[in-house]
Amino acid sequence: MHKYELAVVLNAKLEDEERAAALEKVQGYITRFGGTVTNVDDQGKKRLAYEIQHMKEAFYYFIQFETAQSDTAKQVEDHVRIMEPVIRYLCVKQDEK
């Protein structure tokens, strides 16, 4: 099993329901492409290091997931990239111990 962590930064202007829907959509992509979500870490609203799209704050989420398929992370990234509420994202493979 390959382990990954996906960091997702969502627009701070989103309502609670819109944020929950966007997060659920990201998790749906992970499961659709053969992954299993193991943990979702909600970091809440934080100040951005620099202004993005005239925003100084955003919501941060870290999603850990596992998959046996090697292309799951790329497929998830391809779909997250075009999501409207996502400002930034980063998917990294975790060290296997």
Side-chain angles (χ1 to χ4, degrees), residues 3 50 67 90:
K3 294 184 179 188
Y50 54 91
T67 181
L90 179 65

Side-chain angles (χ1 to χ4, degrees), residues 26-70:
V26 171
Q27 292 179 46
Y29 287 141
I30 292 169
T31 55
R32 183 193 313 172
F33 298 118
T36 304
V37 176
T38 57
N39 187 32
V40 178
D41 186 13
D42 180 356
Q43 293 287 312
K45 188 186 255 187
K46 293 187 174 218
R47 184 166 178 79
L48 295 168
Y50 54 91
E51 195 171 298
I52 302 172
Q53 299 173 2
H54 306 291
M55 287 180 274
K56 296 179 190 279
E57 293 181 322
F59 291 98
Y60 284 75
Y61 295 93
F62 295 94
I63 304 168
Q64 285 90 24
F65 65 97
E66 296 179 341
T67 181
Q69 301 172 9
S70 60

